[in-house]
Amino acid sequence: MEFKQKIYNHYLQMVQDRIDVFKDMISGLTEDSKNDAKGSAGDKHETALSMMHIEQEKLTNKLKEAIAQKAILDKIDPSKTTENIILGSLVKANGIYLYLSVALPKITIDGINVIALSPQSPLGNHLMGNKVGFEFEINGTKYLIQEIS
Protein backbone atom coordinates (compact mmCIF):
# COMPACT_ATOMS: atom_id res chain seq x y z
CA MET A 1 0.00 0.00 0.00
CA GLU A 2 1.28 3.45 -0.92
CA PHE A 3 2.51 5.72 1.90
CA LYS A 4 -0.12 8.39 1.23
CA GLN A 5 -2.89 5.75 1.21
CA LYS A 6 -1.70 4.45 4.60
CA ILE A 7 -1.82 7.98 6.01
CA TYR A 8 -5.32 8.54 4.65
CA ASN A 9 -6.56 5.19 6.01
CA HIS A 10 -5.04 5.88 9.43
CA TYR A 11 -6.66 9.32 9.74
CA LEU A 12 -9.99 8.02 8.42
CA GLN A 13 -9.95 5.23 11.02
CA MET A 14 -8.94 7.70 13.74
CA VAL A 15 -11.91 9.95 12.98
CA GLN A 16 -14.32 7.00 12.66
CA ASP A 17 -13.14 5.68 16.05
CA ARG A 18 -13.81 9.10 17.61
CA ILE A 19 -17.30 9.12 16.09
CA ASP A 20 -18.01 5.65 17.50
CA VAL A 21 -16.73 6.60 20.98
CA PHE A 22 -18.83 9.78 21.10
CA LYS A 23 -21.94 7.89 19.96
CA ASP A 24 -21.37 5.25 22.65
CA MET A 25 -20.85 7.90 25.34
CA ILE A 26 -24.00 9.79 24.31
CA SER A 27 -25.97 6.55 24.25
CA GLY A 28 -24.67 5.67 27.74
CA LEU A 29 -25.68 9.07 29.11
CA THR A 30 -29.13 8.73 27.55
CA GLU A 31 -29.57 5.34 29.24
CA ASP A 32 -28.29 6.69 32.57
CA SER A 33 -30.72 9.60 32.47
CA LYS A 34 -33.64 7.27 31.69
CA ASN A 35 -32.70 4.98 34.57
CA ASP A 36 -32.13 7.93 36.91
CA ALA A 37 -35.51 9.39 36.01
CA LYS A 38 -37.25 6.20 37.18
CA GLY A 39 -35.54 5.99 40.54
CA SER A 40 -35.24 9.39 42.19
CA ALA A 41 -36.82 12.75 42.79
CA GLY A 42 -35.92 16.09 44.29
CA ASP A 43 -33.17 18.69 43.92
CA LYS A 44 -30.35 16.15 43.84
CA HIS A 45 -32.08 14.33 41.01
CA GLU A 46 -32.65 17.53 39.04
CA THR A 47 -28.98 18.54 39.42
CA ALA A 48 -27.80 15.12 38.25
CA LEU A 49 -30.10 15.23 35.22
CA SER A 50 -28.96 18.76 34.41
CA MET A 51 -25.28 17.74 34.60
CA MET A 52 -25.95 14.74 32.34
CA HIS A 53 -27.72 16.98 29.85
CA ILE A 54 -24.79 19.45 29.77
CA GLU A 55 -22.33 16.59 29.25
CA GLN A 56 -24.55 15.18 26.51
CA GLU A 57 -24.54 18.55 24.71
CA LYS A 58 -20.72 18.73 24.89
CA LEU A 59 -20.41 15.22 23.47
CA THR A 60 -22.95 15.99 20.74
CA ASN A 61 -20.87 19.00 19.66
CA LYS A 62 -17.70 16.87 19.61
CA LEU A 63 -19.58 14.25 17.59
CA LYS A 64 -20.69 16.88 15.06
CA GLU A 65 -17.10 18.08 14.74
CA ALA A 66 -15.83 14.52 14.13
CA ILE A 67 -18.58 13.90 11.55
CA ALA A 68 -17.58 17.13 9.77
CA GLN A 69 -13.94 15.99 9.75
CA LYS A 70 -14.97 12.64 8.28
CA ALA A 71 -17.01 14.41 5.58
CA ILE A 72 -13.88 16.34 4.54
CA LEU A 73 -11.77 13.17 4.54
CA ASP A 74 -14.45 11.41 2.47
CA LYS A 75 -13.95 14.05 -0.27
CA ILE A 76 -10.25 13.14 -0.60
CA ASP A 77 -9.02 10.70 -3.24
CA PRO A 78 -5.69 9.46 -1.79
CA SER A 79 -4.60 8.06 -5.16
CA LYS A 80 -4.76 11.50 -6.79
CA THR A 81 -1.53 13.43 -7.31
CA THR A 82 -1.18 16.92 -8.73
CA GLU A 83 1.56 19.44 -9.38
CA ASN A 84 -0.21 22.04 -7.24
CA ILE A 85 -1.06 21.42 -3.60
CA ILE A 86 -4.74 20.64 -3.06
CA LEU A 87 -6.89 19.10 -0.32
CA GLY A 88 -5.47 15.59 0.15
CA SER A 89 -1.91 16.45 -0.92
CA LEU A 90 0.99 15.02 1.04
CA VAL A 91 3.67 17.70 1.13
CA LYS A 92 7.27 17.44 2.23
CA ALA A 93 8.55 20.84 3.35
CA ASN A 94 11.77 21.34 5.35
CA GLY A 95 11.92 17.55 5.79
CA ILE A 96 8.49 17.53 7.48
CA TYR A 97 5.56 15.59 6.00
CA LEU A 98 2.32 17.58 6.00
CA TYR A 99 -1.03 16.08 5.02
CA LEU A 100 -3.53 18.73 3.84
CA SER A 101 -6.88 17.50 5.13
CA VAL A 102 -8.22 18.42 8.57
CA ALA A 103 -6.38 19.35 11.75
CA LEU A 104 -5.66 16.04 13.47
CA PRO A 105 -2.93 14.74 15.80
CA LYS A 106 0.54 13.91 14.50
CA ILE A 107 0.97 10.25 13.54
CA THR A 108 3.89 7.98 12.64
CA ILE A 109 3.56 5.75 9.57
CA ASP A 110 6.44 3.50 8.48
CA GLY A 111 8.67 5.36 10.97
CA ILE A 112 7.89 8.76 9.42
CA ASN A 113 6.07 11.50 11.35
CA VAL A 114 3.14 13.08 9.54
CA ILE A 115 1.21 16.18 10.58
CA ALA A 116 -2.35 16.62 9.32
CA LEU A 117 -3.35 20.22 8.91
CA SER A 118 -6.29 22.15 7.63
CA PRO A 119 -6.00 24.23 4.45
CA GLN A 120 -7.41 27.09 6.57
CA SER A 121 -4.48 26.98 9.03
CA PRO A 122 -1.73 29.58 8.49
CA LEU A 123 0.71 26.95 7.18
CA GLY A 124 -1.96 25.15 5.15
CA ASN A 125 -3.09 28.43 3.64
CA HIS A 126 0.47 29.20 2.44
CA LEU A 127 0.83 25.71 0.95
CA MET A 128 -2.44 25.53 -0.98
CA GLY A 129 -2.07 25.96 -4.74
CA ASN A 130 1.73 26.09 -4.72
CA LYS A 131 4.31 23.80 -6.35
CA VAL A 132 7.63 22.13 -5.56
CA GLY A 133 10.33 24.75 -5.07
CA PHE A 134 8.00 27.39 -3.62
CA GLU A 135 9.48 29.19 -0.59
CA PHE A 136 7.66 31.21 2.05
CA GLU A 137 8.03 32.35 5.64
CA ILE A 138 5.69 32.06 8.63
CA ASN A 139 6.56 33.39 12.09
CA GLY A 140 10.23 33.70 11.22
CA THR A 141 10.51 30.15 9.85
CA LYS A 142 11.32 29.74 6.18
CA TYR A 143 9.72 26.81 4.36
CA LEU A 144 10.67 25.17 1.08
CA ILE A 145 8.26 22.77 -0.63
CA GLN A 146 10.38 19.73 -1.52
CA GLU A 147 7.81 17.14 -2.67
CA ILE A 148 4.11 16.85 -3.40
CA SER A 149 2.25 13.56 -3.72
Side-chain angles (χ1 to χ4, degrees):
M1 186 183 308
E2 188 188 331
F3 184 56
K4 188 171 151 183
Q5 182 72 48
K6 288 180 185 179
I7 293 167
Y8 174 79
N9 290 347
H10 188 91
Y11 278 123
L12 193 62
Q13 188 61 54
M14 181 186 286
V15 171
Q16 186 59 56
D17 290 347
R18 287 179 69 208
I19 290 170
D20 294 343
V21 166
F22 292 139
K23 282 182 177 178
D24 288 347
M25 291 171 79
I26 290 168
S27 176
L29 279 175
T30 303
E31 280 301 310
D32 288 349
S33 67
K34 283 180 187 173
N35 293 337
D36 199 33
K38 293 176 188 171
S40 47
D43 289 345
K44 205 178 211 180
H45 166 70
E46 291 301 319
T47 303
L49 275 179
S50 181
M51 294 299 283
M52 277 191 245
H53 183 70
I54 290 168
E55 188 62 27
Q56 203 168 11
E57 283 179 7
K58 286 181 189 174
L59 290 171
T60 300
N61 288 335
K62 288 181 180 180
L63 175 62
K64 286 178 186 174
E65 183 181 307
I67 289 170
Q69 288 176 329
K70 185 172 184 310
I72 292 169
L73 288 172
D74 285 342
K75 292 177 185 175
I76 294 172
D77 176 359
S79 65
K80 187 176 184 177
T81 56
T82 60
E83 276 189 31
N84 292 29
I85 298 170
I86 61 169
L87 183 71
S89 291
L90 177 62
V91 179
K92 184 178 180 184
N94 295 10
I96 303 166
Y97 282 91
L98 305 163
Y99 188 57
L100 273 291
S101 54
V102 291
L104 291 167
K106 179 171 73 170
I107 60 171
T108 303
I109 302 285
D110 297 339
I112 298 169
N113 291 331
V114 178
I115 300 168
L117 58 124
S118 161
Q120 291 80 26
S121 69
L123 182 54
N125 190 32
H126 275 83
L127 291 171
M128 291 299 286
N130 288 303
K131 298 180 180 188
V132 171
F134 180 73
E135 292 184 72
F136 60 96
E137 186 176 324
I138 296 180
N139 298 332
T141 304
K142 292 184 180 187
Y143 291 90
L144 169 66
I145 298 172
Q146 299 164 294
E147 291 176 29
I148 301 170
S149 58

